[in-house]
Amino acid sequence: MKNLKVLAFTHKHVELKDLGNLVICNEDLESRLISLKHSLDIPEIFYIGTCNRVEFVFYGAHELTNEFIAEFMGKLNFCVPQERLQCYLGQVNKYEGMDALHHLLRMSCSLESLVVGEKEILAQVRRAYDRCREAGFTGDFLRLMMDRLVKTAKEVYTYTKISRNPISVVSLAYRKLRELKLVENPRILIIGSGETNQNLAKYFQKNQKAKFVVFNRTLENAKALAEELNAEAYPLASIEEYKEGFDILITCTGAPTSIIDNTLYQSLLNGETDKKIIIDLAVPNDIDAEVIKNNPIHYIEVSSLQAIAEKNIQERYNELDSAEKIIQDNIQEFLPLIKQRRVEVAMREVPEKIKEIKSFALNEVFAQEVQALTPEAREVLEKVINYMEKKYIKVPMVMAKEILVKTPEIEKN
């Protein structure tokens, strides 16, 4: 285990905007890692790059000294000034041996993510590993380790509640919405075309057949969202002229005060009297209090959703101890497997060596004696030797595995 190494740059120590300078695009990845492997004699390596972490996982007998890390990063030819690269070197987290394994397990189980319990990290790690495996950068050790990362993460996600309760306002809003009785093919009026409304609209695209209309202060931005939704787009200044009615109103703007008062709301209703659904994710709210007070509305607003999100986040953190127990159990299972695999690899040559000894004995050392035997005696001799050969191949392998299983001492490094 002592040869497992990780160099990690994460959101905990590096500004997210600065992490982008360390991301390696797919087109450059192979050439950079080939150069790194050959120049530093690294047997196995893979690279992980996400929106909040860049990590290099490798297997090799290298000491993670400051000089080695500087050389390692220099070989990757990042397009940053030397003084900036020196700054990154002061922000790196380095892990070796058991610490590296523990870190990788925690990362894959999303215990070290910006959002704890985010399952996407496991998929990102798997894709990163597969890319490097297909390019020939990984080997037997990292294959076994990756299998263990996947197994552990699946157990954490299955046997704890660390990822079960949504914590994004958008997903909570849509969950609240699904609890209501919606009309078929709803008319959805969207005010604001920022990221929050874009994400919420995508939920509808996946799960509902709806007719969208988008209003935004900047018409070009409204058109960009409308194009994704196959919708109509209008400038917010013209909203008073809209007379098509709606079933669901989604609003999230950066306005300093409410933008929909009771007069405008009545205009948007255009005489309709049924109970409407309003999702108001703006801070401060876009819907005036008089609208809520004087109209039949299912009102979903950001402050109540944030309270649920905070509760769900706390519930996720309450699961950390259970997740850590699963990780520790998997570490204890993994270490003997690594030992066993080392023995298997070391003993691959045993069968060939025994065959060579048999051949040399029959054809060189005892050649004359064998030739003097009768055919019957020679046949018996060959049967005895073949039997002994099989036993000499099988017995030491079985004994070695039994010794590993019975050994109570776990390798610490």
Side-chain angles (χ1 to χ4, degrees):
M1 283 300 305
K2 64 182 180 180
N3 286 340
L4 177 62
K5 312 288 167 62
V6 178
L7 297 178
F9 302 86
T10 75
H11 60 90
K12 294 181 180 180
H13 298 97
V14 184
E15 292 287 338
L16 292 180
K17 58 182 177 61
D18 292 331
L19 272 175
N21 293 326
L22 300 179
V23 172
I24 304 174
C25 65
N26 290 339
E27 292 77 11
D28 295 338
L29 182 61
E30 188 167 340
S31 61
R32 291 202 197 184
L33 291 189
I34 285 175
S35 173
L36 185 69
K37 269 176 61 72
H38 290 169
S39 59
L40 295 182
D41 192 24
I42 296 175
E44 302 183 46
I45 188 169
F46 79 97
Y47 155 87
I48 304 165
T50 74
C51 58
N52 55 39
R53 69 178 60 250
V54 168
E55 304 202 11
F56 298 92
V57 182
F58 62 99
Y59 186 78
H62 304 79
E63 290 188 31
L64 296 186
T65 62
N66 291 338
E67 292 76 18
F68 172 80
I69 296 172
E71 185 179 9
F72 184 101
M73 296 301 291
K75 297 288 186 184
L76 288 166
N77 296 320
F78 291 109
C79 296
V80 296
Q82 187 61 33
E83 61 272 15
R84 187 72 194 94
L85 187 58
Q86 287 299 318
C87 183
Y88 282 122
L89 295 177
Q91 297 169 318
V92 65
N93 289 316
K94 53 185 180 181
Y95 304 91
E96 300 184 64
M98 291 298 299
D99 288 341
L101 178 62
H102 188 228
H103 162 73
L104 291 169
L105 287 166
R106 284 180 55 85
M107 177 190 66
S108 299
C109 296
S110 190
L111 272 60
E112 298 192 356
S113 296
L114 196 59
V115 179
V116 171
E118 177 53 64
K119 286 184 177 181
E120 177 61 21
I121 184 62
L122 177 60
Q124 291 170 333
V125 173
R126 291 181 74 169
R127 285 194 296 269
Y129 170 79
D130 287 342
R131 225 172 9 244
C132 291
R133 175 184 56 79
E134 290 167 4
F137 297 137
T138 64
D140 201 51
F141 181 86
L142 290 185
R143 174 185 64 81
L144 292 172
M145 188 202 70
M146 190 64 213
D147 289 345
R148 184 58 48 166
L149 297 189
V150 172
K151 175 183 180 294
T152 306
K154 286 183 176 179
E155 289 178 4
V156 167
Y157 294 138
T158 300
Y159 299 117
T160 75
K161 299 178 182 177
I162 202 164
S163 64
R164 293 184 191 173
N165 297 321
I167 58 175
S168 77
V169 167
V170 169
S171 60
L172 287 167
Y174 188 71
R175 177 172 286 197
K176 279 277 188 182
L177 184 63
R178 292 189 65 182
E179 294 173 1
L180 303 174
K181 186 176 181 180
L182 303 181
V183 299
E184 190 174 352
N185 302 329
R187 298 164 297 166
I188 301 178
L189 194 59
I190 298 178
I191 301 176
S193 60
E195 184 178 356
T196 298
N197 278 356
Q198 291 175 28
N199 291 335
L200 188 53
K202 288 174 182 176
Y203 275 95
F204 282 98
Q205 280 183 295
K206 293 178 181 178
N207 301 287
Q208 292 283 340
K209 292 182 179 179
K211 179 184 177 183
F212 296 94
V213 176
V214 180
F215 284 91
N216 192 64
R217 292 189 187 279
T218 306
L219 181 58
E220 288 304 312
N221 293 341
K223 286 181 177 178
L225 177 56
E227 186 175 350
E228 292 183 24
L229 300 173
N230 192 26
E232 299 173 4
Y234 301 99
L236 184 58
S238 67
I239 194 169
E240 294 179 3
E241 303 168 11
Y242 184 75
K243 304 298 180 184
E244 300 297 324
F246 66 92
D247 300 301
I248 302 171
L249 172 61
I250 299 172
T251 182
C252 183
T253 72
T257 60
S258 59
I259 62 171
I260 300 180
D261 59 18
N262 201 46
T263 301
L264 177 55
Y265 186 74
Q266 297 304 319
S267 174
L268 293 173
L269 288 175
N270 197 31
E272 296 179 2
T273 58
D274 57 316
K275 196 170 188 178
K276 305 297 184 182
I277 299 172
I278 296 179
I279 302 175
D280 185 355
L281 301 183
V283 180
N285 291 340
D286 282 336
I287 306 297
D288 188 87
E290 289 297 312
V291 176
I292 304 165
K293 179 180 177 181
N294 297 319
N295 296 276
I297 293 171
H298 290 293
Y299 187 55
I300 302 170
E301 50 89 29
V302 72
S303 61
S304 63
L305 296 176
Q306 285 176 332
I308 298 171
E310 289 171 6
K311 176 177 176 291
N312 288 350
I313 288 174
Q314 186 56 52
E315 288 180 356
R316 287 190 176 194
Y317 276 98
N318 291 341
E319 293 293 303
L320 290 179
D321 287 344
S322 297
E324 188 63 47
K325 174 65 168 55
I326 292 173
I327 288 174
Q328 291 302 327
D329 288 346
N330 272 276
I331 289 175
Q332 297 306 312
E333 291 176 9
F334 183 60
L335 295 180
L337 291 177
I338 288 296
K339 288 183 177 181
Q340 180 176 315
R341 184 58 179 164
R342 255 196 340 243
V343 170
E344 290 173 352
V345 171
M347 299 189 74
R348 279 176 178 170
E349 296 183 3
V350 169
E352 289 303 317
K353 292 294 183 184
I354 290 177
K355 289 181 185 295
E356 289 176 10
I357 293 171
K358 181 186 78 169
S359 177
F360 186 74
L362 291 174
N363 300 314
E364 299 289 339
V365 179
F366 301 106
Q368 291 183 359
E369 290 87 342
V370 171
Q371 289 297 322
L373 294 174
T374 64
E376 293 78 9
R378 191 181 304 169
E379 183 180 351
V380 172
L381 177 61
E382 288 181 356
K383 285 182 178 179
V384 171
I385 291 177
N386 288 337
Y387 176 81
M388 295 291 290
E389 177 187 346
K390 290 178 181 178
K391 289 299 179 182
Y392 273 118
I393 291 172
K394 182 178 179 181
V395 169
M397 290 187 174
V398 172
M399 290 179 66
K401 290 181 180 179
E402 288 178 351
I403 290 170
L404 286 174
V405 170
K406 292 177 182 177
T407 299
E409 208 173 280
I410 300 288
E411 185 177 340
K412 296 298 181 183
N413 295 315

